[in-house]
Amino acid sequence: MGNKVNTIGVLTSGGDAPGMNAAIRAVVRTALANGLKVKGIRRGYNGLLEEDIIDMDNRSVSDIIQRGGTILYTARCLEFIKPEGQDRGAEICRKHNIDGLVVIGGDGSFKGAQALARRGINTVGLPGTIDLDIACTDYTIGFDTAVNTSMETIDKVRDTSTSHERCSIIEVMGRNAGYIALWCGIGNGAEEVLITERYDYNEQRIIENIIEKRKIGKKHFIIINAEGVGDSYAMAKRIESATGMETRATIIGHAARGGSPTAIDRLYASAMGAKAVDLLCEGASNRIVAYKEGKFVDYDIEEALSMTKDIDQYLYDLSKRLSR
Ligand code: ADP
Ligand code: F6P
């Protein structure tokens, strides 16, 4: 347990995610209601090192719960990975009387929070990433919105793909994590889902599958690629020439990372933001708020970072069983 806090800082770090604003709002308003001061640190650890720090009140977070992105901006900061940067970060927190810090981001951002906790700044992390790839939690801020945006876009591509009796390769975000691709694979009824965690790069099998499915009356063929599996445009060309089926590639990209958060992202991010402040008020430090088995819980950062998780095999198999 760390010491009790008087002033809470809040920052967003790594890739932005819809719902981060809801979390910031909850942090600010819960802290103020508890009689604490709140400072917003802009552009993640970059802003901390540049002392881009602003006072926040209840009005600073008006009209943001429905907005995607993050009003505090976000950035990646290489200097903060080095011990000297972390020493300076802790000094700057002390200079601005920030004795508790809420860090909204992914595993990289949590390592920064851990470094500050070791230097005497009480820290709590909130899982903010559209990728769902944080091991200690079943939910990450932004995933629900990103997967719904991706699913709706794929529905639209499917309409035109069916009309033209084409094959469509649709690439969704997730360089190292296939959760968005897998959920869309099932939710959009795709014929193939290619994710880095499982794909064996056997394109010949996919080609044979397309030829086989056409023989049994399939009018279109949807392949959902997670971003990390490779160049979808090049794959479309190869598949078209091998199967004779017209093929188009669509990359949804960052469009899935923006937009108004869903109800789940607004509500869970709000609950997590409030819990982060409650933990700091209890004197906790070096914790991550998580959602596990239907409850909001918290873990030591070291323990959380040592956890691993994998794609749900049942869901992966289901995506195959239902694509007939
Ligand atoms: P995410 O938080 O989404 O995993 P990154 O891995 O890009 O995103 O990390 C975000 C930021 O967190 C980095 O730019 C850096 O400032 C900080 N960070 C990452 N790794 C470390 C580390 N090992 N020690 C301290 N800070 C780190
Ligand atoms: O936020 C996670 C993520 O969107 C990944 O899915 C993606 O690979 C990466 O960030 C893209 O990062 P950038 O915004 O730097 O292109």
Side-chain angles (χ1 to χ4, degrees), residues 13-17 20 76 128-133 172-177 180 227-228 253-254 256-257:
S13 167
D16 69 336
M20 280 184 167
R76 298 193 166 96
T129 168
I130 63 163
D131 287 348
L132 197 65
D133 61 346
V172 297
M173 279 207 131
R175 200 174 293 153
N176 305 310
I180 294 178
E227 181 190 356
H254 291 79
R257 214 161 78 182

Side-chain angles (χ1 to χ4, degrees), residues 58-104:
N58 282 318
R59 295 290 69 77
S60 319
V61 290
S62 292
D63 199 27
I64 66 166
I65 194 162
Q66 78 283 17
R67 292 186 201 285
T70 160
I71 59 159
L72 290 176
Y73 303 98
T74 185
R76 298 193 166 96
C77 173
L78 293 181
E79 205 185 331
F80 207 73
I81 296 173
K82 299 183 204 142
E84 306 82 64
Q86 297 160 3
D87 288 344
R88 215 154 65 73
E91 270 319 302
I92 292 166
C93 283
R94 273 188 271 277
K95 178 176 162 191
H96 289 265
N97 299 317
I98 295 170
D99 42 18
L101 181 65
V102 179
V103 172
I104 309 169

